[in-house]
Amino acid sequence: MDLKFIKKKIYTFVKIISTVLITSAIGLESWNIYALIANTNVPSSLNLIFWIERFAMISHFIEGIIAAFYAPSRQKIPIKYATYTFFVGTIGLLELFDRQDDY
């Protein structure tokens, strides 16, 4: 098997999983905010999950900011690439800084 083929398959798998998890994290946080506004209790057993999803969303947000900052140097549209990187995570940054695109 070719290393490039394996890398592509892994990247695709991670991008799909990351997009699903970040979308789920947005949904969880929306539910938590709604519960606060509606004065409803959220199960306390979900506190760890809320902290993990907040950490992931903050990490992805920072990666999105980095991508938006460096996207113009790679002839990419900043807001579009920042959104893409927010959802796929570090893979988006790896693709942005991949030197194979420079040839």
Side-chain angles (χ1 to χ4, degrees):
M1 271 207 202
D2 185 36
L3 185 60
K4 230 179 199 183
F5 176 75
I6 294 171
K7 181 178 166 183
K8 183 179 177 188
K9 287 293 184 185
I10 290 174
Y11 274 20
T12 303
F13 178 72
V14 171
K15 286 193 278 188
I16 292 169
I17 295 297
S18 180
T19 302
V20 168
L21 290 176
I22 285 296
T23 304
S24 300
I26 292 170
L28 267 176
E29 198 59 39
S30 299
W31 175 47
N32 192 28
I33 291 169
Y34 174 76
L36 287 173
I37 292 171
N39 204 17
T40 323
N41 290 333
V42 184
S44 62
S45 60
L46 295 177
N47 282 341
L48 178 64
I49 293 173
F50 281 122
W51 283 106
I52 291 170
E53 63 93 0
R54 288 176 187 144
F55 176 76
M57 289 203 10
I58 290 169
S59 300
H60 280 236
F61 183 72
I62 292 170
E63 290 171 343
I65 291 171
I66 293 169
F69 184 75
Y70 284 105
S73 68
R74 303 293 181 164
Q75 289 76 40
K76 308 270 186 194
I77 302 168
I79 190 72
K80 185 177 177 182
Y81 211 81
T83 305
Y84 170 72
T85 303
F86 174 76
F87 281 100
V88 300
T90 306
I91 300 292
L93 287 177
L94 291 174
E95 291 173 348
L96 181 64
F97 294 120
D98 192 9
R99 291 289 177 188
Q100 292 176 350
D101 294 338
D102 293 342
Y103 299 130

